[in-house]
């Protein structure tokens, strides 16, 4: 039986800003990983922590649950999948439960004085998919969304929700390796095109010869994009 979302308190690894905290970034790991592991992986690729003067980075860890692609074995995953494919139904029960849990992370930042328009949500692989569900279905007033080596299923609930939605949507930043054999590059491209057709401002960076992995080029581009969406505040702006 699924655990009630209200009973889940996510573990989180936090990288504090070097200076005054005026924005927050929630970075979701891929399947089977952890928040601490995601931070360390990025640190290895960049040879240093991903840090900012004014942005707090939160790396939460998904709770352990049975994961169908592992034949029901326990894994730290944001939701279940029937299979790793873009051509099957989404496991909406688990996705929707986790949307509630992750909303608490956003609420915590808002309670601490950070405006929703100063919060970014994103992740790697499954984490990017979860971030898209969270932002485009629940929190369309966040600063933006990023998805690295991620995809949405062809009949994603996101597409259905956006068809019925009004107003502006958060901008999407995507990166995907052309040699990815687990999450095909074409799945990422298709996700980007479909979201664009529904009114999302979206960019897509293809990374030649990159597998289901991170590289320095990708993270440097992501860092630049983060700073365009969450610039440092100048004198006279919000306290």
């Amino acid at each position: 039986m699924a655990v009630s979302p209200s009973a889940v308190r996510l573990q989180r690894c936090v990288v504090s800003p070097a200076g005054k905290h005026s924005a927050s970034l929630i970075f979701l790991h891929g399947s089977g990983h952890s928040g601490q592991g995601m931070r360390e992986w990025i640190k290895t690729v960049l040879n240093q922590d991903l840090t900012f003067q004014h942005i707090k980075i939160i790396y939460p860890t998904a709770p352990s649950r049975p994961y169908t692609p592992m034949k029901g074995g326990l894994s730290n995953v944001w939701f279940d999948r029937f299979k790793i494919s873009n051509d099957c139904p989404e496991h909406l029960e688990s996705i929707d439960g986790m949307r509630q849990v992750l909303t608490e992370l956003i609420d915590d930042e808002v309670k601490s004085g950070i405006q929703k328009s100063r919060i970014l949500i994103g992740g790697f692989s499954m984490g990017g998919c979860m971030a898209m569900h969270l932002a485009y279905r629940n929190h369309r007033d966040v600063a933006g969304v990023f998805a690295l080596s991620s995809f949405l299923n062809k009949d994603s609930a996101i597409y259905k929700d956006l068809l019925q939605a009004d107003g502006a949507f958060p901008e999407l930043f995507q990166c995907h390796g052309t040699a990815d054999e687990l999450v095909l590059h074409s799945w990422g491209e298709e996700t980007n095109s479909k979201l664009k057709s529904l009114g999302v401002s979206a960019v897509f960076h293809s990374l030649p010869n990159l597998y289901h992995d991170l590289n320095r080029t990708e993270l440097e581009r992501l860092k630049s994009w983060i700073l365009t969406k969450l610039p440092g505040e100048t004198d006279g702006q919000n306290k």
Side-chain angles (χ1 to χ4, degrees):
M1 186 173 166
V3 177
S4 165
S6 60
V8 176
R9 174 75 180 169
L10 297 176
Q11 290 184 335
R12 56 192 88 176
C13 171
V14 175
V15 179
S16 298
K20 182 173 177 291
H21 177 208
S22 68
S24 297
L25 186 156
I26 298 169
F27 204 132
L28 306 180
H29 62 77
S31 60
H33 214 178
S34 68
Q36 182 68 39
M38 191 76 232
R39 177 189 177 178
E40 293 297 332
W41 187 16
I42 291 169
K43 192 173 181 178
T44 300
V45 175
L46 290 177
N47 293 318
Q48 62 180 23
D49 251 326
L50 180 64
T51 56
F52 298 91
Q53 188 68 22
H54 58 291
I55 305 170
K56 175 167 88 173
I57 306 179
I58 304 157
Y59 297 99
T61 296
S64 179
R65 60 163 297 134
Y67 189 44
T68 298
M70 288 176 50
K71 298 182 178 175
L74 293 176
S75 187
N76 290 345
V77 289
W78 298 111
F79 53 87
D80 198 8
R81 292 189 188 279
F82 295 107
K83 58 182 177 176
I84 300 173
S85 167
N86 71 341
D87 200 16
C88 66
E90 291 176 314
H91 196 288
L92 277 179
E93 181 187 355
S94 57
I95 291 172
D96 292 347
M98 190 49 61
R99 283 194 294 142
Q100 292 181 52
V101 174
L102 287 168
T103 288
E104 291 180 17
L105 276 184
I106 295 171
D107 290 346
D108 285 349
E109 294 310 293
V110 172
K111 285 173 191 167
S112 76
I114 303 302
Q115 296 177 13
K116 283 274 283 294
S117 60
R118 297 281 291 166
I119 298 174
L120 275 177
I121 309 167
F124 177 80
S125 194
M126 172 183 273
C129 177
M130 188 70 237
M132 288 188 279
H133 273 277
L134 189 61
Y136 292 121
R137 296 176 64 206
N138 289 76
H139 301 283
R140 296 185 188 125
D141 48 351
V142 294
V145 190
F146 62 93
L148 313 177
S149 305
S150 305
F151 74 100
L152 295 175
N153 296 38
K154 286 179 183 291
D155 66 345
S156 176
I158 292 176
Y159 302 145
K160 294 166 187 169
D161 282 12
L162 292 185
L163 268 174
Q164 299 166 10
D166 295 318
F169 305 128
E171 183 180 308
L172 174 66
F173 174 96
Q174 267 183 280
C175 288
H176 213 117
T178 61
D180 194 333
E181 294 173 332
L182 180 66
V183 175
L184 300 185
H185 181 267
S186 61
W187 298 355
E189 278 189 312
E190 187 178 301
T191 296
N192 192 276
S193 296
K194 189 79 182 277
L195 288 171
K196 272 184 179 172
S197 75
L198 293 167
V200 174
S201 175
V203 294
F204 188 87
H205 297 277
S206 295
L207 297 150
N209 306 314
L210 182 70
Y211 290 86
H212 197 63
D213 206 350
L214 293 174
N215 71 10
R216 191 181 185 93
T217 299
E218 171 180 29
L219 291 178
E220 294 292 358
R221 284 180 184 171
L222 175 62
K223 190 168 185 177
S224 296
W225 179 80
I226 288 167
L227 287 170
T228 67
K229 304 311 293 181
L230 299 175
E233 294 186 326
T234 56
D235 292 339
Q237 282 187 286
N238 299 330
K239 291 181 180 179

